[in-house]
Amino acid sequence: MHNLPGHYREILLGVGEDPAREGLRDTPLRAAKAMQYLCDGYNRSLEEIVNGALFASDNDEMVIVKDIELYSLCEHHILPFIGKAHVAYIPTGRVLGLSKVARIVDMYARRLQIQENLTRQIAEAIQEVTGAAGVAVVIEAKHMCMMMRGVEKQNSVMNTSVMLGAFRSSCNTRMEFLQLIGRGQ
């Protein structure tokens, strides 16, 4: 754990707490375990996640997995951002096992992140794995760094999107995706 519990103990001291206080005695260890879990994406690889779950298919129509919950930590303040991802791709002979899309989202979300990069990483991973004719990813999330500190805006939601291939080159394909996820006009 690279002395992560010791570092959390120092943080408690730094904010004026007593790590020996009954309620905090085990907090450094619990916090270290929680941080390892929340950053578990560094211990995963795309190959391990996909694990060969690509299947032959004649389908060349859009595949969408929407409302994939995501929980990440912003790399600027190490505070959570929470939201959902909508992922679509247009197969070219192979489809990805359904759970693998959510696992790819989790793998990248469980790293210190900014939402803009997370969106791109997911899109590029889906593209790499499937060889799709196009990939689209939209993420909408609330950021605790904006809600709990700084400007303290409780109702702001950040939306990011990455469109690759047919989703970028075809307005109709992009609009169909946005309508299907409830974001089109």
Side-chain angles (χ1 to χ4, degrees), residues 8 18-19 94 126 156 162 182:
Y8 275 107
D18 175 10
R94 299 181 303 168
I126 298 291
S156 61
V162 170

Side-chain angles (χ1 to χ4, degrees), residues 32-41 110:
K33 286 180 179 179
M35 183 58 78
Q36 284 184 311
Y37 178 79
L38 295 172
C39 293
D40 188 53
R110 291 197 180 163

Side-chain angles (χ1 to χ4, degrees), residues 141-175:
K142 290 190 166 210
H143 291 251
M144 296 302 129
C145 58
M146 264 188 71
M147 297 170 73
M148 295 176 69
R149 55 157 303 282
V151 295
E152 296 185 32
K153 299 299 175 207
Q154 305 308 306
N155 296 308
S156 61
V157 176
M158 181 175 182
N159 288 282
T160 51
S161 69
V162 170
M163 307 287 170
L164 304 176
F167 290 95
R168 188 174 197 78
S169 62
S170 168
C171 182
N172 289 340
T173 303
R174 184 170 48 255
M175 288 311 298

Side-chain angles (χ1 to χ4, degrees), residues 11-74:
I11 290 170
L12 291 172
L13 289 168
V15 298
E17 262 296 353
D18 175 10
R21 183 168 63 82
E22 181 185 0
L24 294 177
R25 269 187 228 135
D26 295 327
T27 296
L29 182 59
R30 284 192 303 264
K33 286 180 179 179
M35 183 58 78
Q36 284 184 311
Y37 178 79
L38 295 172
C39 293
D40 188 53
Y42 292 114
N43 300 317
R44 306 264 179 250
S45 71
L46 194 52
E47 296 74 27
E48 173 190 345
I49 294 291
V50 173
N51 195 26
L54 283 165
F55 307 101
S57 174
D58 291 335
N59 179 41
D60 62 358
E61 298 293 327
M62 193 180 304
V63 174
I64 301 175
V65 185
K66 61 185 261 191
D67 297 325
I68 303 167
E69 301 142 19
L70 68 86
Y71 307 92
S72 193
L73 295 173
C74 87

Side-chain angles (χ1 to χ4, degrees), residues 39 42 72-81 108-109 111-118 121 143 145:
C39 293
Y42 292 114
S72 193
L73 295 173
C74 87
E75 65 186 37
H76 299 140
H77 303 99
I78 311 182
L79 288 173
F81 64 94
Y108 289 108
R111 298 176 181 185
L112 299 179
Q113 282 286 10
I114 62 172
Q115 184 175 328
E116 298 89 337
N117 291 350
L118 175 60
Q121 289 166 355
H143 291 251
C145 58

